[in-house]
Amino acid sequence: MRRISIFGATGSIGDSTVDLIRRDPESYRVVALTGGGNIAKLAALAREFRAEIAVTAYPERLAELRVLLAGTQTEAAAGPQALLEAADRPADWIMSAIVGAAGLPPGLRALRHGTTLALANKESLVCAGPLLMETARRHGATILPVDSEHSAVFQALQAEDLSSVERVIITASGGAFRDWPLEDLPGATLAQASSHPNWAMGQRITIDSASMFNKALELIETREFFGIDPAKIEAVVHPESIIHAMVAHNDGGILAHLGAPDMRHAIGYALNWPERRALPVERLDFVKLGSLTFRPACETRYPALRLAREVMAAGGLHGAAFNGAKERALDHFIAGRIRFTEMSDVVARVLEDLAAGSALSGPVTLEEVTRVDQIARDTADAALRLGEAAH
Ligand code: NAD
Ligand code: MG
């Protein structure tokens, strides 16, 4: 029986992970489940799987969690320190599916125990790629990518030599506004940005798909995880989301990974790795599909992609600044304080401000990443206040 924990169990990736576990309960012992504000869901999952511990990120919700877990063997805990302690619990496999930079500390802590980390939390790699990869190496831990594109690249690279790779192409659906005229984008509403044409995901990544900040994070994630030269990494818009990524070799051959847009593919692959097991996902019918189409991922429509190139070129703590600014800009868009297209303006402004000083010159340690993440958020807030004053 494998001991597994799910960080971010109450979210969209959490749902898909739980779905796979639920189909084969005999094979798993659930150690820790964590969530945010949906205490009822967290408690119900903990009861169903008889988890050893359930942790909410919010200390003020602990009493509620305790009440809902009364009479069970599950311990209740809350707050960032409790998340770290949950990551200390011995487990064979941990799903890292917290959204945002908050996923970094528990993921890092889990790696220090040499565990296998299934990494959906791409923000960890964007903020602290070298730290995460080096920690895994030092402690003999394995990181398995769960982002669909990166799982696809990982699979296409099995038994291949990285030195023969000419290009890695990750696909993008193009998000909610792929067919909108450019001049309409500033008027995009929160509801419009929160609906994805192909994938059912959490709200934040759905909006990031519409702005392509998600693809920007994924370009950086590709660079950090596989150690590939940024010049060899491309994004292409593929509205059908059937091909998830392609790896092009120096003999002109290209290996593509195809599958229905269902995160249980990538999660199941990471869960069963190094084996492949049957998964409950739709099988593709090429005749029904008819055609697969591609368009350029245009940097005018999606300035986030241009910013990602700058971040990859600069390296170091620029990723943490980029992600922190992006998270804050997204908060402001969700709160209705800035327009859809202003998110990339805010992030560009923060990167420019921080790169001009010495804020981003330190080493990629957890302390430095945490410091830069906070400065980036504060600078985004300051940029917004200046903008308001100018209106
Ligand atoms: P979600 O919003 O549906 O779920 C996020 C989870 O994190 C929830 O359990 C929530 O309670 C928890 N959480 C939120 N803030 C927290 C905090 N400050 N501290 C601790 N826990 C917190 O998000 P999601 O769509 O499941 O995405 C999770 C991660 O997986 C993200 O990094 C996302 O980029 C990545 N990812 C998601 C998908 C997808 O299909 N949903 C695909 C690829 C990658
Ligand atoms: Mg993805």
Side-chain angles (χ1 to χ4, degrees):
M1 205 186 275
R2 290 168 79 200
R3 291 172 58 85
I4 71 159
S5 292
I6 307 173
F7 282 71
T10 56
S12 166
I13 291 287
D15 285 344
S16 297
T17 309
V18 164
D19 177 81
L20 294 178
I21 304 300
R22 195 176 267 141
R23 289 164 193 268
D24 188 14
E26 256 58 282
S27 298
Y28 305 103
R29 171 94 188 85
V30 174
V31 180
L33 295 175
T34 87
N38 192 342
I39 304 296
K41 184 168 179 180
L42 178 60
L45 287 171
R47 278 180 176 273
E48 176 183 353
F49 291 99
R50 299 171 199 275
E52 288 178 15
I53 183 167
V55 184
T56 162
Y58 307 124
E60 66 277 15
R61 309 293 299 276
L62 178 58
E64 207 181 318
L65 183 61
R66 284 213 171 106
V67 169
L68 293 177
L69 288 176
T72 71
Q73 300 286 314
T74 304
E75 281 172 58
Q81 190 56 35
L83 284 172
L84 292 180
E85 284 163 19
D88 284 336
R89 303 248 169 166
D92 303 307
W93 188 90
I94 296 183
M95 167 53 75
S96 166
I98 288 174
V99 61
L104 175 62
L108 207 51
R109 183 69 84 99
L111 290 175
R112 294 204 175 117
H113 296 288
T115 188
T116 296
L117 191 70
L119 192 70
N121 178 252
K122 66 191 85 186
E123 297 89 343
S124 313
L125 276 170
V126 172
C127 292
L131 174 63
L132 216 62
M133 300 309 283
E134 170 58 18
T135 304
R137 201 195 54 72
R138 198 155 12 99
H139 296 276
T142 301
I143 305 179
L144 296 169
V146 169
D147 219 343
S148 56
E149 298 77 4
H150 304 74
S151 173
V153 174
F154 187 78
Q155 293 180 51
L157 280 174
Q158 292 299 303
E160 296 289 347
D161 190 343
L162 214 57
S163 65
S164 72
V165 173
E166 268 182 2
R167 290 186 298 157
V168 168
I169 303 151
I170 60 173
T171 62
S173 67
F177 307 135
R178 62 193 181 199
D179 297 320
W180 281 37
L182 215 50
E183 59 273 20
D184 289 353
L185 288 181
T189 66
L190 177 60
Q192 288 165 331
S194 303
S195 106
H196 198 282
N198 305 1
W199 298 87
M201 309 186 284
Q203 186 189 35
R204 297 180 73 87
I205 183 174
T206 301
I207 301 170
D208 283 349
S209 296
S211 63
M212 284 269 212
F213 266 110
N214 182 50
K215 212 48 56 183
L217 296 176
E218 291 183 358
L219 289 171
I220 304 168
E221 184 185 8
T222 307
R223 197 244 167 306
E224 297 299 339
F225 187 83
F226 298 102
I228 290 170
D229 176 356
K232 295 181 175 177
I233 308 171
E234 299 171 15
V236 65
V237 174
H238 167 45
E240 295 85 7
S241 294
I242 296 297
I243 298 180
H244 304 305
M246 297 177 262
V247 177
H249 290 275
N250 56 5
D251 59 358
I254 299 179
L255 298 176
H257 179 275
L258 290 77
D262 182 334
M263 284 310 292
R264 292 176 303 176
H265 257 302
I267 297 167
Y269 182 81
L271 188 60
N272 298 322
W273 181 88
E275 290 171 29
R276 271 189 197 275
R277 300 218 183 122
L279 291 172
V281 299
E282 188 194 326
R283 271 48 176 172
L284 295 179
D285 178 334
F286 285 97
V287 175
K288 246 194 223 156
L289 279 171
S291 61
L292 299 177
T293 62
F294 304 91
R295 310 177 196 171
C298 162
E299 292 186 4
T300 314
R301 176 176 282 271
Y302 304 112
L305 297 176
R306 181 179 49 76
L307 297 173
R309 296 272 165 213
E310 291 174 15
V311 169
M312 287 193 287
L317 293 167
H318 290 250
F322 178 66
N323 183 71
K326 190 283 294 177
E327 288 198 35
R328 208 63 191 112
L330 179 57
D331 291 340
H332 288 309
F333 173 66
I334 291 173
R337 287 191 286 266
I338 57 175
R339 282 195 287 264
F340 180 76
T341 42
E342 284 172 324
M343 286 191 283
S344 55
D345 298 340
V346 169
V347 176
R349 177 72 190 275
V350 171
L351 284 175
E352 215 173 282
D353 277 15
L354 297 187
S358 59
L360 305 182
S361 57
V364 184
T365 59
L366 182 57
E367 296 67 32
E368 285 290 279
V369 166
T370 309
R371 180 183 63 79
V372 167
D373 176 72
Q374 191 57 52
I375 295 178
R377 287 168 201 257
D378 294 346
T379 310
D381 289 352
L384 189 71
R385 281 194 297 274
L386 280 178
E388 274 166 6
H391 274 308

